[in-house]
Amino acid sequence: MFVATLIAAGKLTDEVVREAIDRLDATGHDVGAPHWLDVGDAADIVFQGSLVSARKELALMDHGALDVVVQPQGDRTKKLIVADMDSTMITVECIDELADYAGIKDEVAAITQKAMRGEVDFRGALKERVALLGGLPEGMLIECRYERVKLTRGARTLVQTMKAHGAHSVLVTGGFTAFAGPVGEAIGFDKVVANELLIEGGKLTGQVGEPIIDSSAKLETLKAEAARHGLPLADTLAVGDGANDIPMITSAGLGIAFHPHAAAAEAADAVIRHHDLTALLWAQGYPRRSWVLG
């Protein structure tokens, strides 16, 4: 059995739900009656048939603000979330904003975009960008965090709700501990894994500490945390936006690309393009009345 969750907060109509049912029925799926998680916001359609076919067919629906998540029904409520930070749990890329304080944002952001699209090696791109920040005063890290870093809407609600229902949470990022530590604490993550900017004499050295948190490290974090809590990967959720998130997204029980670059969108089980992070709660079957508001 599979479940398709239609998400269009405040804009989901009976007509849109009926179209999804008709599309599934017309492509040979055995479709049950719809169930509203929250009327006007999100609805489930349970069906039997082909997961791949259903995802392909429902992706053809064009209703502007509609996001669709299709997955097996049985292991839907996840017990571990492993999440990227930059442009996922927060609204910015920290290294780009930090580079702005050094007057080189455009140069650094261009490299960041190539790395997130998977056009260049993440490890090499990280070292190249950090080298450009050499000599920046350490105090700029705090100033940048206070002035530029904003939590993505729904981040706290997502993590706090999952934790309230027994899940574990890990923030894993190719970004930096100076940002990830406070962000993880503000959202309520149980654990934070991030890169460390090396500092000497109150200034950035232009180097990043080893081991570097890249795509392989993100995947290993997912696997290690699942094993530590005695969970199969089917019970895990991974969310991110860039190419360096692909290995953990494709290995998790539910891999979500959140407002992503094309490479991550293509690899993910589902893509959230229109809504905030609370869409991941509807995807797991949590109605709004069960949310822990952040």
Side-chain angles (χ1 to χ4, degrees):
M1 296 285 287
F2 304 103
V3 58
T5 305
L6 310 182
I7 302 167
K11 299 179 180 179
L12 189 60
T13 64
D14 289 327
E15 289 74 20
V16 174
V17 175
R18 173 47 57 185
E19 178 187 338
I21 291 172
D22 289 344
R23 283 179 174 271
L24 290 171
D25 185 65
T27 49
H29 298 86
D30 183 6
V31 188
H35 167 69
W36 284 100
L37 288 166
D38 287 298
V39 174
D41 294 331
D44 282 343
I45 302 170
V46 176
F47 66 93
Q48 295 183 12
S50 167
L51 180 65
V52 173
S53 172
R55 283 176 174 167
K56 181 178 180 180
E57 183 62 30
L58 295 181
L60 299 175
M61 295 180 67
D62 184 13
H63 292 281
L66 179 68
D67 288 320
V68 182
V69 179
V70 185
Q71 61 185 309
Q73 184 184 27
D75 52 6
R76 179 182 187 187
T77 303
K78 304 306 181 185
K79 297 302 181 185
L80 171 66
I81 178 172
V82 177
D84 174 46
M85 181 178 71
D86 295 81
S87 298
T88 302
M89 289 288 145
I90 60 175
T91 60
V92 297
E93 294 285 336
C94 289
I95 194 167
D96 294 354
E97 299 306 315
L98 193 58
D100 198 20
Y101 287 81
I104 53 172
K105 182 174 182 177
D106 289 346
E107 182 179 357
V108 169
I111 302 170
T112 300
Q113 288 300 305
K114 289 181 180 179
M116 292 302 99
R117 292 194 297 263
E119 296 172 1
V120 295
D121 172 66
F122 178 84
R123 176 182 289 263
L126 179 66
K127 288 185 175 181
E128 180 181 1
R129 288 174 290 166
V130 170
L132 293 171
L133 299 177
L136 197 67
E138 180 182 6
M140 289 296 184
L141 295 172
I142 298 175
E143 186 174 345
C144 180
R145 175 163 56 84
Y146 276 120
E147 293 184 351
R148 304 291 179 88
V149 175
K150 307 295 181 185
L151 301 184
T152 301
R153 184 176 177 183
R156 275 188 54 81
T157 298
L158 169 62
V159 172
Q160 294 296 332
T161 299
M162 290 185 66
K163 288 177 63 177
H165 289 85
H168 306 279
S169 59
V170 180
L171 183 67
V172 59
T173 175
F176 308 117
T177 54
F179 298 96
V183 166
E185 182 177 0
I187 294 174
F189 279 94
D190 297 315
K191 184 175 182 177
V192 173
V193 180
N195 287 306
E196 183 178 3
L197 290 169
L198 300 184
I199 297 169
E200 290 182 3
K203 294 183 178 181
L204 275 62
T205 66
Q207 296 179 313
V208 60
E210 294 284 350
I212 288 177
I213 306 304
D214 57 8
S215 60
S216 297
K218 288 187 173 189
L219 174 59
E220 287 308 309
T221 297
L222 171 70
K223 291 180 176 178
E225 289 299 311
R228 186 163 78 91
H229 296 292
L231 299 171
L233 289 178
D235 283 343
T236 68
L237 184 157
V239 57
D241 71 296
N244 63 323
D245 299 310
I246 290 175
M248 74 173 186
I249 285 175
T250 55
S251 297
L254 178 62
I256 298 286
F258 182 75
H259 295 250
H261 295 274
E266 184 176 347
D269 295 318
V271 180
I272 302 300
R273 300 187 188 278
H274 306 291
H275 297 91
D276 65 34
L277 287 165
T278 58
L280 277 64
L281 292 174
W282 279 316
Q284 294 178 79
Y286 290 112
R288 197 186 297 273
R289 65 179 178 274
S290 69
W291 296 2
V292 178
L293 298 181

